[in-house]
Amino acid sequence: MPGKPLHGLPHRYNEMRTTKNSERLFKLARRYLPGGVDSPVRAFGAVESIPRFIVEGNGSKIRDADGNSYIDYVCSWGPLILGHAERRIVEALRHAAGKGTSFGAVTELETRLAAMICKALPSMEMVRFVSSGTEAAMSAIRLARAFTGRDRIIKFAGCYHGHCDSLLVSGGSGMATLGIPDSPGVTASTARDTLVAGYNDLDSVRRLFAGYPDSVAAVIVEPIAANMGLVHPASGFLSGLQRLARANGALLIFDEVITGFRVAYGGAQQLYKIRPDLTCLGKIIGGGLPVGAYGGRRDIMQMVAPSGKVYQAGTLSGNPLAVTAGITTLEILRDPSIYKQLEDKGDLLQEGLAASACDACMPLSIARQGSLLTVFFSAQAITDYTAARSCDTAVFGRFFRGMLEQGIYWPPSQFEAAFLSLAHSRQDISVTVKAARQVLKQIQD
Ligand SMILES: *Cc1c(COP(=O)(O)O)cnc(C)c1O
C-alpha cells in the first residue's frame, strides 16, 4: 500500500476514510483462519468493531489497509517499547538476516543476551530461551514440579500466563477454589492441579497451602498484574507470597513477560525488591520478534536438560534474529533516563485522561505503572479480578470505538493495559487526551 511516510504525519480529527478494505480482508481471513485471526483479542469482538488490517507501523503510528493512521497504544501488546520500526532495530535485523536466519546450533548472541538479562535481574542466575511467553511459563512450571517433586500450583484469578493447559484455569472469583478449566480441551485432571487464589488476597493463599499441605510446587504471579487491566500488588502482597511459599516449601515464580524491562530495567522485582526463585520473560526481550525466556536460581536451572533431566527444547529457541532484536533493545534501554522519560509520558497521559473524565463527569478509575495504563470504567479502584469484572464493558466498547474513529488505537478490551513507547510524543498524548475528552462527553450526552 503506497502512501506518505507515517513519521511526522500531522494528526487530524474526523478524517477517517472508510473501513471497506479491512472489512473485505476480514471476510477473506475468516474463510481460512478461525475467527479471521491468530489470537482472539485481535478480532475486536469484545468491542463490537471491525478489526483494522495493519499494513505499516512507524514510531507511535500505525496505518491500516484503508489508509487510516492511528496513534498506537497496543504496541504489539508490549514488545515495542521503542515504537514501530525503530531504526536501530531494523538495521540490526537487516544485518543479522543477511548472515542467516536460523541455525539450530549455538551462537554467541544467546550468551550475550542471557548475560544482559542476568545482570538486569540478579535473581536470574541462568536463563533458557524459548519462543513465546506461553512456553516460558509452561516450562517454568514443569521445572518447579521437578525441583520440588510436587504436582500442584497456585495461580491468581485474573492473572494470565499464556495458554498452556495447566494455566488456562481461573477460579473467576476472589475466593480460593479448585480450578475449573477456562477452555474446553483442558482436562479436569489438569485443572485439578491448579489452585486459584485471589490477587491481593494473602489469606486465600494461606488457605490453599493449609488445605493442600506438602503438595504445592509453586506460586506463579504477575508481580504487577496487567492482564485484567493494570492492577497493582497491594503493599506487602508480594513479600507475603514469598514468605508463604518459603514456609511451605514451594517456589515463587514471577511472570514478568509484560513487566520485565517495562516498569523498570530490572522489572517489577527491582521495584518491589523481591528475589523470586524463577522468572518468566518475553515481549520486550525479543524486540518485536517471537521470544520468551525463563530463568532463576542456578541450583534449579541446572535441572534443565542437558545439564539436568527436565526436558525442554525448541527448533527456533534462541533464534539469532529474535536475540539480535532483544540485545539491541536492551542496549538502548540500559540508559536510566529512558524510564524517566516513559514515566513522564505515562504521567502526562494519566493526568490528561483524568482531566478529560472529570470534564465529562465520567467516573473512571485510572491505574498506571510507568508506561502501562488502564482506564477502568468504574468509580472504584480496581484491586482484583472481581472488581475488574464489575467494570462497564459496554461503555468501554463505546469509548474504544469513539477513540478509533478519532485515530487512537486503544487496546480492544477493558481487561488489557495500554502501552506507551518512547516514540510517543507529547503531541501524540495531547491529541489522545483531546480525543478522549470528546468521546467521553459524547458517551455522557
Ligand atoms: C503475553 C503474556 C504471556 C504469554 O506470552 P506469549 O508470547 O503471548 O505466549 C504470559 N504471561 C504474561 C504476563 C503475558 O502478558
Side-chain angles (χ1 to χ4, degrees):
M1 183 102 200
K4 284 173 278 181
L6 283 178
H7 210 63
L9 203 74
H11 208 82
R12 281 174 250 119
Y13 293 134
N14 298 324
E15 283 200 2
M16 275 308 116
R17 290 166 236 175
T18 69
T19 55
K20 69 179 194 324
N21 286 335
S22 280
E23 285 169 52
R24 179 178 53 77
L25 291 168
F26 192 42
K27 201 168 157 211
L28 189 61
R30 274 180 298 182
R31 194 185 307 161
Y32 297 106
L33 306 168
V37 295
D38 284 314
S39 199
V41 74
R42 298 180 194 169
F44 282 19
V47 288
E48 296 174 26
S49 185
I50 297 287
R52 304 305 197 260
F53 278 68
I54 306 304
V55 294
E56 187 183 8
N58 194 315
S60 62
K61 311 256 174 59
I62 50 177
R63 182 162 50 200
D64 72 15
D66 292 281
N68 302 305
S69 85
Y70 306 88
I71 301 171
D72 181 20
Y73 287 95
V74 173
C75 291
S76 190
W77 301 104
L80 302 181
I81 195 167
L82 307 176
H84 292 273
E86 209 278 344
R87 182 185 50 81
R88 288 161 288 186
I89 304 287
V90 173
E91 266 171 28
L93 282 174
R94 278 211 180 98
H95 181 72
K99 297 205 284 186
T101 55
S102 183
F103 307 110
V106 283
T107 65
E108 187 198 344
L109 294 167
E110 295 152 73
T111 312
R112 271 179 59 199
L113 182 56
M116 291 176 89
I117 288 172
C118 293
K119 191 158 180 219
L121 292 86
S123 75
M124 298 178 78
E125 295 170 337
M126 299 185 96
V127 182
R128 166 62 60 87
F129 290 110
V130 291
S131 296
S132 69
T134 294
E135 261 186 283
M138 176 185 83
S139 311
I141 296 284
R142 181 184 304 144
L143 180 57
R145 284 175 166 152
F147 184 79
T148 58
R150 298 168 170 192
D151 290 348
R152 294 198 167 96
I153 56 168
I154 294 177
K155 81 172 283 286
F156 294 88
C159 282
Y160 178 67
H161 306 291
H163 64 87
C164 114
D165 282 5
S166 60
L167 292 166
L168 266 191
V169 174
S170 154
S173 80
M175 290 283 297
T177 167
L178 263 188
I180 297 162
D182 256 356
S183 164
V186 175
T187 66
S189 64
T190 300
R192 207 174 300 130
D193 283 333
T194 302
L195 309 172
V196 180
Y199 199 76
N200 282 329
D201 182 359
L202 283 177
D203 277 336
S204 69
V205 180
R206 229 172 257 126
R207 281 196 298 273
L208 288 174
F209 274 123
Y212 301 90
D214 304 323
S215 69
V216 175
V219 178
I220 184 166
V221 67
E222 286 182 76
I224 298 169
N227 283 288
M228 50 176 145
L230 186 79
V231 176
H232 286 102
S235 157
F237 176 60
L238 297 174
S239 54
L241 282 185
Q242 181 161 53
R243 252 195 324 277
L244 282 172
R246 279 195 186 146
N248 290 282
L251 300 181
L252 179 64
I253 306 175
F254 272 11
D255 181 346
E256 298 229 41
V257 171
I258 282 189
T259 53
F261 298 95
R262 166 62 65 176
V263 298
Y265 192 69
Q269 55 194 267
Q270 176 188 318
L271 291 183
Y272 289 94
K273 301 187 174 58
I274 307 259
R275 225 182 138 93
D277 300 298
L278 293 173
T279 298
C280 306
L281 295 173
K283 299 191 171 127
I284 288 176
I285 63 159
L289 273 77
V291 104
Y294 64 104
R297 274 166 47 188
R298 186 174 299 277
D299 58 331
I300 305 175
M301 288 305 291
Q302 275 183 328
M303 289 188 72
V304 177
S307 68
K309 289 189 173 157
V310 179
Y311 192 73
Q312 190 273 302
T315 302
L316 292 175
S317 293
N319 173 264
L321 294 187
V323 169
T324 295
I327 291 170
T328 312
T329 301
L330 299 200
E331 275 169 352
I332 296 168
L333 293 179
R334 212 152 43 179
D335 170 0
S337 77
I338 298 268
Y339 290 92
K340 171 80 172 74
Q341 287 177 51
L342 288 167
E343 169 63 26
D344 291 347
K345 289 173 203 273
D347 185 52
L348 198 64
L349 181 61
Q350 179 176 17
E351 293 298 315
L353 291 173
S356 295
C358 195
D359 277 2
C361 298
M362 172 82 83
L364 293 180
S365 165
I366 304 178
R368 183 178 69 84
Q369 180 69 51
S371 53
L372 284 173
L373 177 148
T374 297
V375 176
F376 288 109
F377 284 80
S378 166
Q380 65 171 129
I382 306 300
T383 55
D384 64 11
Y385 192 42
T386 309
R389 283 188 315 163
S390 75
C391 289
D392 192 332
T393 51
V395 175
F396 175 83
R398 292 181 64 189
F399 172 74
F400 171 85
R401 293 189 299 272
M403 293 293 272
L404 198 65
E405 263 170 46
Q406 304 269 2
I408 313 295
Y409 193 95
W410 202 254
S413 162
Q414 172 68 95
F415 308 110
E416 302 285 359
F419 295 87
L420 278 157
S421 77
L422 275 173
H424 286 75
S425 63
R426 298 179 78 88
Q427 166 75 7
D428 289 334
I429 293 168
S430 101
V431 166
T432 305
V433 165
K434 275 188 208 141
R437 180 170 301 137
Q438 193 170 325
V439 172
L440 291 172
K441 278 204 169 127
Q442 272 164 12
I443 294 173
Q444 280 301 49
D445 288 345

Short mmCIF file of all heavy atoms in Angstrom, two decimals, residues 95-146:
data_model
loop_
_atom_site.label_atom_id
_atom_site.label_comp_id
_atom_site.label_asym_id
_atom_site.label_seq_id
_atom_site.Cartn_x
_atom_site.Cartn_y
_atom_site.Cartn_z
N HIS A 95 21.09 -6.64 9.12
CA HIS A 95 22.45 -7.16 9.16
C HIS A 95 22.44 -8.64 9.56
O HIS A 95 23.07 -9.48 8.91
CB HIS A 95 23.26 -6.33 10.17
CG HIS A 95 24.68 -6.74 10.30
ND1 HIS A 95 25.61 -6.50 9.31
CD2 HIS A 95 25.32 -7.40 11.28
CE1 HIS A 95 26.78 -6.99 9.69
NE2 HIS A 95 26.64 -7.54 10.88
N ALA A 96 21.67 -8.96 10.61
CA ALA A 96 21.64 -10.35 11.10
C ALA A 96 21.01 -11.28 10.07
O ALA A 96 21.51 -12.39 9.84
CB ALA A 96 20.87 -10.42 12.43
N ALA A 97 19.93 -10.83 9.43
CA ALA A 97 19.23 -11.69 8.47
C ALA A 97 20.13 -12.05 7.30
O ALA A 97 20.09 -13.18 6.79
CB ALA A 97 17.96 -11.01 7.96
N GLY A 98 20.99 -11.10 6.92
CA GLY A 98 21.91 -11.35 5.83
C GLY A 98 22.92 -12.45 6.12
O GLY A 98 23.54 -13.00 5.23
N LYS A 99 23.07 -12.75 7.43
CA LYS A 99 24.04 -13.78 7.81
C LYS A 99 23.36 -15.12 8.12
O LYS A 99 24.00 -16.04 8.64
CB LYS A 99 24.84 -13.30 9.02
CG LYS A 99 25.66 -12.05 8.68
CD LYS A 99 26.87 -11.86 9.54
CE LYS A 99 26.51 -11.36 10.92
NZ LYS A 99 27.70 -11.05 11.72
N GLY A 100 22.06 -15.20 7.83
CA GLY A 100 21.37 -16.47 8.09
C GLY A 100 20.34 -16.30 9.19
O GLY A 100 20.63 -15.66 10.20
N THR A 101 19.15 -16.87 9.01
CA THR A 101 18.06 -16.59 9.94
C THR A 101 17.93 -17.61 11.06
O THR A 101 17.24 -17.35 12.04
CB THR A 101 16.72 -16.52 9.19
OG1 THR A 101 16.56 -17.74 8.46
CG2 THR A 101 16.69 -15.35 8.22
N SER A 102 18.52 -18.77 10.91
CA SER A 102 18.42 -19.76 11.97
C SER A 102 19.41 -20.88 11.69
O SER A 102 19.62 -21.26 10.54
CB SER A 102 17.00 -20.33 12.02
OG SER A 102 16.87 -21.23 13.09
N PHE A 103 20.00 -21.42 12.74
CA PHE A 103 20.99 -22.48 12.54
C PHE A 103 20.64 -23.75 13.30
O PHE A 103 21.14 -24.82 12.99
CB PHE A 103 22.38 -22.00 12.98
CG PHE A 103 22.78 -20.69 12.34
CD1 PHE A 103 22.84 -19.52 13.09
CD2 PHE A 103 23.05 -20.64 10.98
CE1 PHE A 103 23.19 -18.32 12.50
CE2 PHE A 103 23.40 -19.44 10.37
CZ PHE A 103 23.46 -18.27 11.14
N GLY A 104 19.83 -23.63 14.35
CA GLY A 104 19.61 -24.80 15.20
C GLY A 104 20.91 -25.26 15.82
O GLY A 104 21.12 -26.44 16.07
N ALA A 105 21.77 -24.28 16.05
CA ALA A 105 23.08 -24.56 16.67
C ALA A 105 23.38 -23.38 17.59
O ALA A 105 22.70 -22.36 17.52
CB ALA A 105 24.15 -24.69 15.59
N VAL A 106 24.37 -23.53 18.44
CA VAL A 106 24.65 -22.45 19.39
C VAL A 106 25.26 -21.24 18.70
O VAL A 106 26.02 -21.37 17.75
CB VAL A 106 25.59 -22.90 20.53
CG1 VAL A 106 24.82 -23.72 21.55
CG2 VAL A 106 26.77 -23.70 19.98
N THR A 107 24.88 -20.05 19.19
CA THR A 107 25.51 -18.81 18.73
C THR A 107 25.95 -18.02 19.96
O THR A 107 25.38 -18.19 21.04
CB THR A 107 24.53 -17.93 17.93
OG1 THR A 107 23.48 -17.50 18.83
CG2 THR A 107 23.92 -18.67 16.75
N GLU A 108 26.90 -17.13 19.76
CA GLU A 108 27.39 -16.31 20.87
C GLU A 108 26.31 -15.31 21.31
O GLU A 108 26.28 -14.86 22.46
CB GLU A 108 28.66 -15.58 20.43
CG GLU A 108 29.33 -14.83 21.55
CD GLU A 108 30.30 -13.76 21.04
OE1 GLU A 108 30.67 -13.81 19.85
OE2 GLU A 108 30.66 -12.88 21.84
N LEU A 109 25.41 -14.99 20.35
CA LEU A 109 24.38 -14.00 20.65
C LEU A 109 23.55 -14.38 21.88
O LEU A 109 23.19 -13.54 22.70
CB LEU A 109 23.44 -13.86 19.45
CG LEU A 109 24.02 -13.28 18.17
CD1 LEU A 109 23.07 -13.50 16.99
CD2 LEU A 109 24.32 -11.79 18.36
N GLU A 110 23.22 -15.67 21.99
CA GLU A 110 22.38 -16.13 23.09
C GLU A 110 23.04 -15.86 24.44
O GLU A 110 22.40 -15.43 25.39
CB GLU A 110 22.09 -17.63 22.95
CG GLU A 110 21.27 -17.98 21.73
CD GLU A 110 21.55 -19.39 21.22
OE1 GLU A 110 21.11 -20.34 21.87
OE2 GLU A 110 22.23 -19.52 20.18
N THR A 111 24.33 -16.14 24.52
CA THR A 111 25.05 -15.90 25.78
C THR A 111 25.07 -14.41 26.09
O THR A 111 24.93 -14.00 27.24
CB THR A 111 26.51 -16.42 25.68
OG1 THR A 111 26.46 -17.73 25.15
CG2 THR A 111 27.18 -16.42 27.03
N ARG A 112 25.21 -13.60 25.04
CA ARG A 112 25.24 -12.14 25.27
C ARG A 112 23.93 -11.64 25.83
O ARG A 112 23.91 -10.89 26.80
CB ARG A 112 25.57 -11.41 23.96
CG ARG A 112 27.07 -11.23 23.75
CD ARG A 112 27.39 -10.53 22.46
NE ARG A 112 26.79 -9.20 22.37
CZ ARG A 112 26.62 -8.55 21.22
NH1 ARG A 112 26.99 -9.11 20.07
NH2 ARG A 112 26.08 -7.36 21.21
N LEU A 113 22.82 -12.07 25.24
CA LEU A 113 21.52 -11.62 25.76
C LEU A 113 21.27 -12.19 27.15
O LEU A 113 20.79 -11.48 28.04
CB LEU A 113 20.39 -12.02 24.80
CG LEU A 113 18.98 -11.54 25.22
CD1 LEU A 113 18.93 -10.02 25.41
CD2 LEU A 113 17.92 -11.98 24.21
N ALA A 114 21.63 -13.45 27.36
CA ALA A 114 21.45 -14.06 28.69
C ALA A 114 22.22 -13.28 29.74
O ALA A 114 21.71 -13.00 30.84
CB ALA A 114 21.88 -15.52 28.66
N ALA A 115 23.46 -12.90 29.42
CA ALA A 115 24.28 -12.16 30.39
C ALA A 115 23.66 -10.80 30.70
O ALA A 115 23.66 -10.35 31.85
CB ALA A 115 25.70 -12.00 29.85
N MET A 116 23.10 -10.15 29.67
CA MET A 116 22.45 -8.85 29.90
C MET A 116 21.24 -9.01 30.81
O MET A 116 20.98 -8.19 31.69
CB MET A 116 21.98 -8.25 28.56
CG MET A 116 23.13 -7.80 27.66
SD MET A 116 22.51 -7.23 26.06
CE MET A 116 22.24 -5.49 26.44
N ILE A 117 20.49 -10.08 30.60
CA ILE A 117 19.29 -10.33 31.41
C ILE A 117 19.67 -10.63 32.86
O ILE A 117 19.10 -10.08 33.80
CB ILE A 117 18.46 -11.48 30.79
CG1 ILE A 117 17.79 -10.99 29.50
CG2 ILE A 117 17.43 -12.01 31.77
CD1 ILE A 117 17.10 -12.08 28.69
N CYS A 118 20.68 -11.49 33.03
CA CYS A 118 21.09 -11.85 34.40
C CYS A 118 21.63 -10.63 35.15
O CYS A 118 21.46 -10.52 36.36
CB CYS A 118 22.14 -12.96 34.37
SG CYS A 118 21.48 -14.52 33.75
N LYS A 119 22.26 -9.73 34.43
CA LYS A 119 22.77 -8.52 35.08
C LYS A 119 21.61 -7.60 35.48
O LYS A 119 21.62 -7.00 36.55
CB LYS A 119 23.72 -7.81 34.12
CG LYS A 119 24.49 -6.70 34.78
CD LYS A 119 25.76 -6.36 34.04
CE LYS A 119 26.46 -5.22 34.79
NZ LYS A 119 27.05 -4.25 33.89
N ALA A 120 20.60 -7.54 34.63
CA ALA A 120 19.46 -6.65 34.91
C ALA A 120 18.57 -7.20 36.01
O ALA A 120 18.02 -6.44 36.81
CB ALA A 120 18.65 -6.46 33.63
N LEU A 121 18.40 -8.51 36.03
CA LEU A 121 17.55 -9.15 37.05
C LEU A 121 18.41 -10.17 37.79
O LEU A 121 18.49 -11.34 37.42
CB LEU A 121 16.35 -9.87 36.39
CG LEU A 121 15.29 -9.00 35.73
CD1 LEU A 121 15.66 -8.65 34.31
CD2 LEU A 121 13.93 -9.65 35.76
N PRO A 122 19.06 -9.71 38.88
CA PRO A 122 20.05 -10.58 39.55
C PRO A 122 19.47 -11.87 40.11
O PRO A 122 20.23 -12.80 40.38
CB PRO A 122 20.61 -9.69 40.66
CG PRO A 122 20.29 -8.29 40.24
CD PRO A 122 19.03 -8.37 39.43
N SER A 123 18.15 -11.96 40.28
CA SER A 123 17.59 -13.24 40.73
C SER A 123 17.76 -14.31 39.66
O SER A 123 17.67 -15.50 39.93
CB SER A 123 16.10 -13.10 41.07
OG SER A 123 15.32 -13.02 39.89
N MET A 124 17.98 -13.87 38.42
CA MET A 124 18.15 -14.82 37.32
C MET A 124 19.64 -15.12 37.16
O MET A 124 20.39 -14.33 36.62
CB MET A 124 17.54 -14.27 36.03
CG MET A 124 16.04 -14.03 36.16
SD MET A 124 15.26 -13.32 34.68
CE MET A 124 15.13 -14.77 33.62
N GLU A 125 20.04 -16.27 37.66
CA GLU A 125 21.46 -16.65 37.57
C GLU A 125 21.74 -17.39 36.27
O GLU A 125 22.87 -17.40 35.79
CB GLU A 125 21.85 -17.50 38.78
CG GLU A 125 21.76 -16.70 40.07
CD GLU A 125 21.88 -17.55 41.33
OE1 GLU A 125 21.62 -18.77 41.28
OE2 GLU A 125 22.25 -16.99 42.36
N MET A 126 20.71 -18.03 35.73
CA MET A 126 20.82 -18.71 34.43
C MET A 126 19.50 -18.53 33.69
O MET A 126 18.45 -18.35 34.31
CB MET A 126 21.08 -20.21 34.61
CG MET A 126 22.36 -20.54 35.32
SD MET A 126 22.63 -22.34 35.32
CE MET A 126 23.71 -22.48 33.92
N VAL A 127 19.57 -18.61 32.37
CA VAL A 127 18.41 -18.38 31.53
C VAL A 127 18.30 -19.47 30.46
O VAL A 127 19.31 -19.94 29.95
CB VAL A 127 18.54 -17.02 30.78
CG1 VAL A 127 17.31 -16.74 29.93
CG2 VAL A 127 18.76 -15.88 31.75
N ARG A 128 17.06 -19.83 30.11
CA ARG A 128 16.82 -20.66 28.92
C ARG A 128 15.88 -19.88 28.01
O ARG A 128 14.81 -19.44 28.45
CB ARG A 128 16.21 -22.00 29.34
CG ARG A 128 15.59 -22.85 28.22
CD ARG A 128 16.53 -23.29 27.13
NE ARG A 128 17.66 -24.11 27.48
CZ ARG A 128 17.65 -25.46 27.56
NH1 ARG A 128 16.54 -26.12 27.35
NH2 ARG A 128 18.75 -26.11 27.86
N PHE A 129 16.27 -19.71 26.75
CA PHE A 129 15.40 -19.02 25.79
C PHE A 129 14.43 -19.99 25.13
O PHE A 129 14.79 -21.12 24.80
CB PHE A 129 16.23 -18.31 24.71
CG PHE A 129 16.97 -17.12 25.25
CD1 PHE A 129 18.36 -17.15 25.37
CD2 PHE A 129 16.29 -15.99 25.65
CE1 PHE A 129 19.05 -16.06 25.89
CE2 PHE A 129 16.97 -14.90 26.18
CZ PHE A 129 18.35 -14.94 26.30
N VAL A 130 13.21 -19.50 24.94
CA VAL A 130 12.16 -20.23 24.22
C VAL A 130 11.56 -19.26 23.21
O VAL A 130 12.14 -18.19 22.97
CB VAL A 130 11.10 -20.79 25.21
CG1 VAL A 130 11.69 -21.90 26.07
CG2 VAL A 130 10.54 -19.68 26.10
N SER A 131 10.43 -19.61 22.60
CA SER A 131 9.91 -18.75 21.53
C SER A 131 8.68 -17.93 21.88
O SER A 131 8.19 -17.17 21.05
CB SER A 131 9.61 -19.59 20.28
OG SER A 131 10.82 -20.16 19.79
N SER A 132 8.14 -18.12 23.09
CA SER A 132 6.97 -17.32 23.49
C SER A 132 6.88 -17.28 25.01
O SER A 132 7.50 -18.09 25.71
CB SER A 132 5.68 -17.93 22.92
OG SER A 132 5.41 -19.16 23.56
N GLY A 133 6.07 -16.35 25.50
CA GLY A 133 5.82 -16.26 26.94
C GLY A 133 5.09 -17.49 27.44
O GLY A 133 5.33 -17.95 28.57
N THR A 134 4.21 -18.02 26.62
CA THR A 134 3.49 -19.25 26.97
C THR A 134 4.47 -20.37 27.30
O THR A 134 4.36 -21.04 28.33
CB THR A 134 2.60 -19.69 25.79
OG1 THR A 134 1.58 -18.72 25.61
CG2 THR A 134 1.97 -21.05 26.03
N GLU A 135 5.41 -20.55 26.40
CA GLU A 135 6.41 -21.60 26.60
C GLU A 135 7.25 -21.35 27.85
O GLU A 135 7.64 -22.29 28.54
CB GLU A 135 7.37 -21.61 25.41
CG GLU A 135 7.11 -22.62 24.35
CD GLU A 135 8.25 -22.57 23.34
OE1 GLU A 135 8.26 -21.64 22.52
OE2 GLU A 135 9.12 -23.44 23.41
N ALA A 136 7.55 -20.08 28.12
CA ALA A 136 8.35 -19.75 29.30
C ALA A 136 7.62 -20.17 30.56
O ALA A 136 8.18 -20.84 31.43
CB ALA A 136 8.66 -18.25 29.33
N ALA A 137 6.33 -19.82 30.67
CA ALA A 137 5.56 -20.14 31.87
C ALA A 137 5.37 -21.65 31.99
O ALA A 137 5.55 -22.23 33.07
CB ALA A 137 4.21 -19.42 31.83
N MET A 138 5.05 -22.29 30.89
CA MET A 138 4.83 -23.73 30.88
C MET A 138 6.09 -24.47 31.34
O MET A 138 6.03 -25.39 32.16
CB MET A 138 4.46 -24.15 29.46
CG MET A 138 4.31 -25.62 29.24
SD MET A 138 4.02 -25.97 27.49
CE MET A 138 5.69 -25.97 26.86
N SER A 139 7.23 -24.02 30.85
CA SER A 139 8.49 -24.70 31.17
C SER A 139 8.91 -24.41 32.62
O SER A 139 9.45 -25.30 33.30
CB SER A 139 9.60 -24.24 30.22
OG SER A 139 9.17 -24.32 28.89
N ALA A 140 8.64 -23.20 33.09
CA ALA A 140 8.99 -22.86 34.48
C ALA A 140 8.17 -23.72 35.44
O ALA A 140 8.68 -24.17 36.47
CB ALA A 140 8.74 -21.37 34.75
N ILE A 141 6.90 -23.95 35.10
CA ILE A 141 6.04 -24.80 35.94
C ILE A 141 6.56 -26.25 35.95
O ILE A 141 6.66 -26.88 37.00
CB ILE A 141 4.58 -24.79 35.39
CG1 ILE A 141 3.98 -23.40 35.49
CG2 ILE A 141 3.72 -25.83 36.08
CD1 ILE A 141 3.56 -22.98 36.86
N ARG A 142 6.92 -26.74 34.77
CA ARG A 142 7.46 -28.11 34.71
C ARG A 142 8.71 -28.24 35.59
O ARG A 142 8.86 -29.19 36.36
CB ARG A 142 7.81 -28.46 33.26
CG ARG A 142 8.36 -29.88 33.10
CD ARG A 142 8.79 -30.17 31.66
NE ARG A 142 7.70 -29.94 30.75
CZ ARG A 142 7.82 -29.44 29.51
NH1 ARG A 142 9.01 -29.13 29.03
NH2 ARG A 142 6.77 -29.26 28.75
N LEU A 143 9.56 -27.23 35.49
CA LEU A 143 10.80 -27.24 36.26
C LEU A 143 10.52 -27.17 37.77
O LEU A 143 11.14 -27.90 38.56
CB LEU A 143 11.66 -26.05 35.81
CG LEU A 143 13.01 -25.86 36.47
CD1 LEU A 143 13.89 -27.10 36.31
CD2 LEU A 143 13.71 -24.62 35.87
N ALA A 144 9.57 -26.33 38.16
CA ALA A 144 9.22 -26.21 39.59
C ALA A 144 8.68 -27.53 40.11
O ALA A 144 8.98 -27.95 41.23
CB ALA A 144 8.19 -25.09 39.79
N ARG A 145 7.89 -28.21 39.28
CA ARG A 145 7.35 -29.51 39.70
C ARG A 145 8.47 -30.53 39.86
O ARG A 145 8.50 -31.31 40.81
CB ARG A 145 6.33 -30.01 38.68
CG ARG A 145 5.01 -29.27 38.79
CD ARG A 145 4.04 -29.67 37.69
NE ARG A 145 2.69 -29.21 38.03
CZ ARG A 145 1.76 -28.91 37.13
NH1 ARG A 145 2.00 -29.04 35.84
NH2 ARG A 145 0.57 -28.51 37.53
N ALA A 146 9.41 -30.52 38.94
CA ALA A 146 10.53 -31.46 39.01
C ALA A 146 11.40 -31.16 40.23
O ALA A 146 11.82 -32.07 40.96
CB ALA A 146 11.37 -31.37 37.74
#
